[in-house]
Amino acid sequence: MYVFVPTFLFSFSLFPKMKFQIVELLFGKSTPKQMIPKVTLLAVFAILLFTVTPLSYPLFRYSSSSLKNKESKKPYSAFDDLNESASLPSTSIKKCDIFSGEWVPNPKAPYYSNKTCWAIHEHQNCMKYGRPDSEFMKWKWKPNGCELPVFNPFQFLELVRGKSMAFVGDSVGRNQMQSMICLLSRVEWPIDVSYKRDDYFMRWKYPSYNFTMAAFWTTHLVRSKEADSKGPGPTGLCNLYLDEPDEKWITQIEDFDYVILNGGHWFTRSMVFYEKQKIVGCHYCLLENVPDLTMYYGYRKAFRTAFKSINRLENFKGTVFLRTFAPSHFENGSWNQGGNCIRTKPFRSNETHLEGLDLEFYMIQLEEFKIAEKEARKKGLKYRLFDVTQASMLRPDGHPSRYGHWPNENVTLYNDCVHWCLPGPIDTWSDFLLGMLKMEGVRSAEERLHLRSN
């Protein structure tokens, strides 16, 4: 029996009288009601209801970037099924935890391919390097009790028009951003506006929408330094300064509207922990007179420091999303001892459960998030839990394994059961993100309506 902690509630319950007030708040009004006769108003409403509504999505389909290509061949067919309007969620949606559910077949997927998207990292380009099966690309997430629409790139870009989004964390975060670039390619390709040529710190801009995405790579969220490349663990020893955020990201995010924070897999290596410039302990460092505090001590402290540092930023007014830990799926050995991930279909939720390291990392994230979110509210900041843990745990079939390079290449690479093939399950993280952004719009409208009524 799988037990999962309830997280983000996908809820939207408004009184009928509030419906039009919220639309009015979101889109504004230009004509006073008293200037329009009631009969005329009803007639106009009826016309809009039966004509404009069905056309709302096609209008987005031919955005400024699409019009340039209107004489080209029929667009990638899988997107023909994204026929929802770019409106807010229906007021009939009941409370629903969108992060708890099952994977169900989706024969219409994928929505791009390795041949149509240049943003796929070579090590995640599974189809290029000979992965023989393709069914792992043909699933979607079905929450218990509601539907989660497939990512609509037109809706997304409209919602983030004029905004910016930062992906802060390890290479799985970069994996997520590259997935989103591929999904958004149906609408527009971004231009590279990076300050310097560095694959770990990239900035991309969507000119038609004035939307910028950036990746800030940081292994541990806090300052780290290589101490001994030879051991004692297989990836060497590093020093972690647990009370100092990594300046490579904390100095860059103050002007961003959305910050998506993640971290995890690097904390399994050997580490020496520093606080106030003094050694306080370690994880598998084998140093004399240095207590082993375990990786979990460092993990908790790193997230605590990251959250506190964001909350202390003087000019930061954005929304922080904690993207929760996505478990790896090594079987029959660890990553450096022959472990692999060769399954070809998802687990059902009753076939596996969160345990061990995965459970500890997840629970630490929830606990530190709760503390940080409470402090952030005092400053008027928003924290949201972007909980991909269960959905990711159920996808042992979605990793590159050995299909991140050619079999005869002279490279030292282990089977990759951490990152995700593109296309693949990580594309669903954008489904989650779009759903959460829609609800942010609803929340903002409700708050403004509440202020007006007081």
Side-chain angles (χ1 to χ4, degrees):
M1 182 73 180
Y2 179 81
V3 180
F4 205 77
V5 180
T7 55
F8 175 75
L9 293 178
F10 197 163
S11 62
F12 184 9
S13 55
L14 298 175
F15 293 104
K17 291 182 180 179
M18 295 169 64
K19 244 188 217 179
F20 295 104
Q21 290 174 288
I22 286 181
V23 173
E24 183 180 281
L25 283 167
L26 285 173
F27 301 106
K29 60 176 183 178
S30 56
T31 310
K33 289 182 181 178
Q34 57 266 34
M35 295 178 63
I36 303 176
K38 291 183 179 179
V39 175
T40 304
L41 185 62
L42 288 171
V44 170
F45 179 77
I47 293 170
L48 288 172
L49 180 65
F50 292 106
T51 61
V52 176
T53 301
L55 296 174
S56 59
Y57 179 73
L59 288 175
F60 280 103
R61 177 173 292 246
Y62 295 100
S63 61
S64 58
S65 59
S66 301
L67 284 170
K68 297 176 183 177
N69 302 313
K70 63 182 180 180
E71 295 183 2
S72 60
K73 294 181 180 180
K74 185 179 178 181
Y76 193 57
S77 61
F79 275 95
D80 293 340
D81 302 300
L82 299 178
N83 55 10
E84 305 158 84
S85 72
S87 62
L88 292 170
S90 166
T91 55
S92 64
I93 292 177
K94 298 178 180 179
K95 276 190 176 182
C96 174
D97 176 2
I98 61 169
F99 301 118
S100 181
E102 302 281 358
W103 290 95
V104 297
N106 180 21
K108 297 170 185 175
Y111 298 96
Y112 63 91
S113 75
N114 67 303
K115 294 181 179 179
T116 64
C117 183
W118 49 255
I120 301 174
H121 192 285
E122 286 296 285
H123 293 164
Q124 285 102 56
N125 199 340
C126 305
M127 301 312 290
K128 173 181 175 179
Y129 290 109
R131 179 161 176 169
D133 61 307
S134 60
E135 290 305 305
F136 72 94
M137 297 185 288
K138 299 182 178 295
W139 298 85
K140 67 177 180 178
W141 183 248
K142 171 66 174 69
N144 297 325
C146 66
E147 294 292 331
L148 178 66
V150 169
F151 182 77
N152 185 318
F154 303 92
Q155 286 185 4
F156 179 84
L157 285 170
E158 284 298 333
L159 285 172
V160 297
R161 184 184 289 274
K163 298 184 183 297
S164 55
M165 180 176 289
F167 294 83
V168 176
D170 58 29
S171 53
V172 179
R174 187 178 62 198
N175 196 178
Q176 180 187 0
M177 187 179 80
Q178 289 165 342
S179 160
M180 184 170 286
I181 291 174
C182 290
L183 289 167
L184 293 175
S185 66
R186 173 62 181 86
V187 182
E188 184 171 85
W189 288 109
I191 58 174
D192 186 346
V193 292
S194 306
Y195 297 158
K196 59 181 180 179
R197 183 66 205 176
D198 187 338
D199 289 344
Y200 292 105
F201 302 94
M202 298 291 289
R203 290 177 185 251
W204 301 97
K205 186 170 184 177
Y206 290 81
S208 301
Y209 295 86
N210 190 26
F211 169 60
T212 300
M213 285 197 300
F216 299 100
W217 182 72
T218 172
T219 54
H220 298 89
L221 300 176
V222 294
R223 185 164 75 92
S224 63
K225 181 181 179 181
E226 290 298 317
D228 184 355
S229 61
K230 296 181 180 179
T235 55
L237 179 69
C238 75
N239 295 336
L240 285 195
Y241 300 86
L242 296 176
D243 51 356
E244 301 177 38
D246 187 344
E247 290 190 357
K248 292 192 296 291
W249 69 270
I250 195 61
T251 59
Q252 300 295 315
I253 66 163
E254 200 157 10
D255 295 329
F256 279 81
D257 298 289
Y258 306 106
V259 175
I260 301 176
L261 203 69
N262 83 88
H265 296 287
W266 282 81
F267 286 84
T268 59
R269 67 182 305 195
S270 298
M271 302 171 286
V272 177
F273 303 138
Y274 285 77
E275 294 181 60
K276 298 180 180 179
Q277 297 295 316
K278 294 182 179 179
I279 295 177
V280 296
C282 72
H283 165 61
Y284 191 61
C285 65
L286 304 183
L287 295 177
E288 190 174 351
N289 298 322
V290 178
D292 194 321
L293 301 178
T294 78
M295 71 183 86
Y296 306 122
Y297 178 89
Y299 193 66
R300 182 181 297 279
K301 287 282 189 171
F303 270 99
R304 185 172 298 180
T305 294
F307 288 141
K308 282 184 176 180
S309 300
I310 293 172
N311 288 343
R312 287 178 186 146
L313 290 174
E314 187 175 345
N315 298 314
F316 179 69
K317 305 297 180 186
T319 300
V320 178
F321 292 91
L322 170 60
R323 199 268 292 156
T324 59
F325 184 66
S328 61
H329 291 92
F330 291 100
E331 296 186 71
N332 301 314
S334 59
W335 66 271
N336 61 331
Q337 296 178 334
N340 207 349
C341 40
I342 58 174
R343 294 180 185 267
T344 57
K345 65 180 182 179
F347 287 128
R348 298 285 297 175
S349 61
N350 62 357
E351 292 177 330
T352 187
H353 62 278
L354 210 58
E355 62 183 354
L357 178 151
D358 299 334
L359 179 60
E360 287 293 330
F361 276 6
Y362 177 68
M363 294 306 299
I364 287 170
Q365 285 185 321
L366 294 189
E367 291 161 6
E368 293 303 316
F369 173 86
K370 186 176 180 180
I371 295 169
E373 194 271 337
K374 184 178 180 180
E375 290 301 312
R377 263 181 294 162
K378 297 175 183 177
K379 290 188 60 180
L381 298 179
K382 298 176 183 177
Y383 273 55
R384 301 291 182 248
L385 196 64
F386 187 172
D387 195 340
V388 304
T389 301
Q390 185 194 10
S392 303
M393 178 190 66
L394 299 179
R395 293 307 304 270
D397 57 323
H399 301 288
S401 179
R402 65 180 183 275
Y403 299 108
H405 57 88
W406 298 116
N408 57 351
E409 265 187 274
N410 186 23
V411 292
T412 303
L413 289 174
Y414 297 96
N415 296 322
D416 185 353
C417 302
V418 172
H419 299 92
W420 303 89
C421 293
L422 295 180
I426 198 172
D427 294 328
T428 296
W429 296 6
S430 291
D431 301 354
F432 289 139
L433 183 58
L434 178 56
M436 295 178 76
L437 290 177
K438 286 181 180 179
M439 293 311 300
E440 285 303 303
V442 171
R443 283 195 189 97
S444 297
E446 286 180 309
E447 289 169 4
R448 282 179 288 183
L449 183 63
H450 178 71
L451 289 173
R452 282 185 57 179
S453 61
N454 288 341

